[in-house]
Amino acid sequence: MTRIVVISDTHGKHGAPLPDGDVLIHCGDFCSHGQYKDAIQFLGWFQAQPHQRKIFIAGNHDLVFEQGSYHDIEMLTHIFLNDSTHYLNDSGINLFGINFWGSPVQPRFFNWAFNRDRGADIKKHWDKIPSGTDVLITHGPPYKILDEAPRWNFGSYENVGCKDLLDKVLKVKPKLHVFGHIHASGGQTFSTDHTIYANASICTEEYVPLNKPFIFDIDENKNIDIINIH
């Protein structure tokens, strides 16, 4: 049995103790403003966690990982990445016999990091997700799955997830798809016959870290149980 702990969208507020597990995943937006010093602070904390293996992707607030200098990115990866801490950027890794794949991109949202236009521009990233992926890690959600964002001027909510990502997920059928980005839908799961989806945003729409981490147990047959935190 492999225990996976998942968090996302901590925005610099990631100091709370985490549940024990074998793999710790962060789905991006560990920074608030994407500065080098924010990334250093997060990665020092993340690497120090006791989980045997740790995986993270970047999010739209983590600008240094896309817009930072070559020297900054080289320094971050050289200092903090090792045999236990892994950064995925349209790439994958097998841990404990489980195939993980991670991507930071999301549909264009203001002038933040890892923005891609909907359609062909973003689809080429999703096309890289290989068949046989067991755990898919993206920053943003697929369309109409835990993707409702408030529209204050209308007093309503809008589905802002990616349709091309949804199409790919329905083809690949990962056992687990974890993401964040849309705080208003954080702390929720949605299950189908093939996939468990989880929006692991820790921070609320007001950037208050109220949501708890998710815990998933995956057995040798890739069956998944959601473990509730009381």
Side-chain angles (χ1 to χ4, degrees), residues 78-174:
H78 177 72
I79 294 171
F80 294 105
L81 300 189
N82 52 38
D83 290 341
S84 68
T85 305
H86 313 278
Y87 172 56
L88 300 185
N89 183 357
D90 284 338
S91 57
I93 190 170
N94 182 286
L95 302 175
F96 304 105
I98 300 167
N99 293 318
F100 297 85
W101 184 270
S103 177
V105 303
Q106 73 276 306
R108 188 166 299 280
F109 181 75
F110 295 111
N111 190 30
W112 293 93
F114 299 103
N115 281 333
R116 301 293 185 268
D117 292 327
R118 295 178 187 269
D121 190 37
I122 200 167
K123 183 177 181 296
K124 64 186 179 185
H125 292 272
W126 308 141
D127 284 345
K128 297 178 182 179
I129 301 171
S131 59
T133 296
D134 300 308
V135 178
L136 177 61
I137 310 162
T138 60
H139 182 57
Y143 183 61
K144 284 193 174 182
I145 297 180
L146 308 176
D147 71 333
E148 290 189 340
R151 292 295 176 255
W152 304 116
N153 52 335
F154 298 109
S156 61
Y157 286 79
E158 180 183 353
N159 296 106
V160 296
C162 181
K163 293 181 180 179
D164 288 302
L165 175 57
L166 176 63
D167 290 344
K168 186 64 175 183
V169 172
L170 293 178
K171 290 178 182 177
V172 173
K173 295 181 175 64

Side-chain angles (χ1 to χ4, degrees), residues 195-207:
T195 304
I196 295 174
Y197 301 86
N199 185 324
S201 298
I202 295 297
C203 285
T204 65
E205 196 68 23
E206 293 75 28
Y207 286 79

Side-chain angles (χ1 to χ4, degrees), residues 5 7 36 41 56 68 70 75 103 113 133 139-140 167 184 223 228:
V5 178
I7 57 176
Y36 181 78
Q41 193 275 335
F56 73 99
Y70 176 81
M75 284 295 292
S103 177
T133 296
H139 182 57
D167 290 344
N223 298 310
N228 294 320

Side-chain angles (χ1 to χ4, degrees), residues 197-230:
Y197 301 86
N199 185 324
S201 298
I202 295 297
C203 285
T204 65
E205 196 68 23
E206 293 75 28
Y207 286 79
V208 180
L210 291 182
N211 295 324
K212 296 179 179 179
F214 281 110
I215 305 174
F216 302 96
D217 281 347
I218 304 182
D219 68 18
E220 60 275 9
N221 296 315
K222 308 292 178 68
N223 298 310
I224 298 182
D225 287 329
I226 303 173
I227 309 301
N228 294 320
I229 302 177
H230 299 288

